[in-house]
Structures are given as structure tokens and as C-alpha cells.
Amino acid sequence: MADSSFDIVSKVERQEVDNALNQAAKEISQRYDFKGVGASISWSGEKILMEANSEDRVKAVLDVFESKLIKRGISLKALEAGEPQLSGKEYKIFASIQEGISQENAKKVAKIIRDEGPKGVKAQVQGDELRVSSKSRDDLQAVIALLKGKDFDFALQFVNYR
């Protein structure tokens, strides 16, 4: 019998992020507390740029964007937001969306699977994802449950379960 397997990835649907950004921009343009403060949110290349005329307002823009990401089912662990920076008279926050599992994070996950997971489960790093395989599907489900119980500083999804 062939091994069963699944992949552990850290991916974000770009279209969902775009939708969340558009919803946040619409809410910012309509909300009374953002009137006349120059608040905006937009794409700036691959990064997301948030602007306002005060530090509190630009943090409120970030808060609105985070709430829209949550509603769209995107983990906030994928959002890497910087600190507010003063640029002229405007405060700016640059944020980026993190995708892929770094080599060191993949090694951490693989070590947890080896140390705490069922025996006979193999984990191998493949680029920016991790393939977990075993003869027993029950062992694979135990690994998924184990990893869901852990708190990583990056988002995990489980795909290609077969």
C-alpha cells in the first residue's frame, strides 16, 4: 500500500487580500472619524501603504484593514506591518503579506513532528512547503491535530491530503 501524505503550506489568496483592502478603503472613505485626516490605504508595489495625518489615525486604518482580513478568513500572522513613520506631514505604515514557510520554520515544524508526532511519520522540506507522509492516515490526522494545537508565528494550511 502506498503512503498517504499531505502538504503543509503558508499561502495567502492574493484576491482575498485585494478584496479586504478594497473594503477597508471604502469604509475609510465613508467613516466620519476619518473625514479630513487624509486617511488612505492602497497597494504600493507588493506592499500595502496606509497613510493619515496622525499616528493614531494611521493605526486606526491598520485596525480597519486587519478586521477586513479576519472577515475574509486570512490569518493576521501573514500580515507583516511596520511601525508608523513620519514622512513630511503624513504618517505612513508599510505592510506586506508573508507567504511560504522559511527553511528554519520548516525545520522547526519537522522537528516537532519527529519529536511529538506518531512513529513512522516522515516530514521532508520541499522548497517553501513541507510534505508529511505515513502509511497510516490516522497518524497524519494526529499530526494535523498536533500542529493545530501549537502556536506558530506564521500561518499554516494543510493541503493535498491523499
Side-chain angles (χ1 to χ4, degrees):
M1 186 176 127
D3 283 4
S4 299
S5 69
F6 68 89
D7 294 335
I8 302 172
V9 297
S10 181
K11 293 202 182 337
V12 176
E13 184 116 7
R14 172 82 179 204
Q15 186 61 50
E16 290 297 323
V17 175
D18 207 31
N19 291 344
L21 187 129
N22 290 334
Q23 287 179 338
K26 186 174 183 179
E27 182 173 323
I28 289 163
S29 71
Q30 292 174 347
R31 267 182 39 182
Y32 180 76
D33 56 337
F34 286 122
K35 293 280 187 242
V37 295
S40 68
I41 182 169
S42 61
W43 285 106
S44 175
E46 283 297 304
K47 292 190 179 285
I48 298 160
L49 170 65
M50 291 160 266
E51 297 178 299
N53 66 2
S54 75
E55 190 172 344
D56 290 340
R57 285 290 121 218
V58 78
K59 285 182 177 177
V61 171
L62 176 62
D63 192 47
V64 168
F65 182 54
E66 286 176 345
S67 72
K68 298 302 179 192
L69 286 175
I70 291 169
K71 283 184 181 169
R72 293 217 150 264
I74 297 171
S75 171
L76 291 183
K77 292 177 181 176
L79 180 70
E80 190 80 30
E83 289 299 311
Q85 301 167 339
L86 184 60
S87 172
K89 293 183 178 178
E90 295 273 303
Y91 280 88
K92 296 181 178 186
I93 294 180
F94 284 99
S96 60
I97 303 295
Q98 302 296 344
E99 287 195 300
I101 302 174
S102 68
Q103 288 289 330
E104 64 188 50
N105 286 338
K107 287 178 183 172
K108 283 183 201 168
V109 173
K111 182 170 176 25
I112 288 172
I113 292 171
R114 264 196 321 276
D115 295 348
E116 301 175 32
K119 298 289 176 236
V121 175
K122 295 186 287 288
Q124 60 207 83
V125 179
Q126 297 180 328
D128 61 351
E129 57 186 48
L130 196 66
R131 164 116 347 130
V132 180
S133 56
S134 171
K135 297 229 180 282
S136 163
R137 286 181 167 233
D138 291 341
D139 288 351
L140 292 180
Q141 302 234 325
V143 168
I144 290 175
L146 168 74
L147 294 177
K148 281 186 177 179
K150 298 283 182 193
D151 186 32
F152 296 104
D153 57 351
F154 52 96
L156 291 180
Q157 292 89 32
F158 306 101
V159 296
N160 295 341
Y161 187 83
R162 50 177 162 264

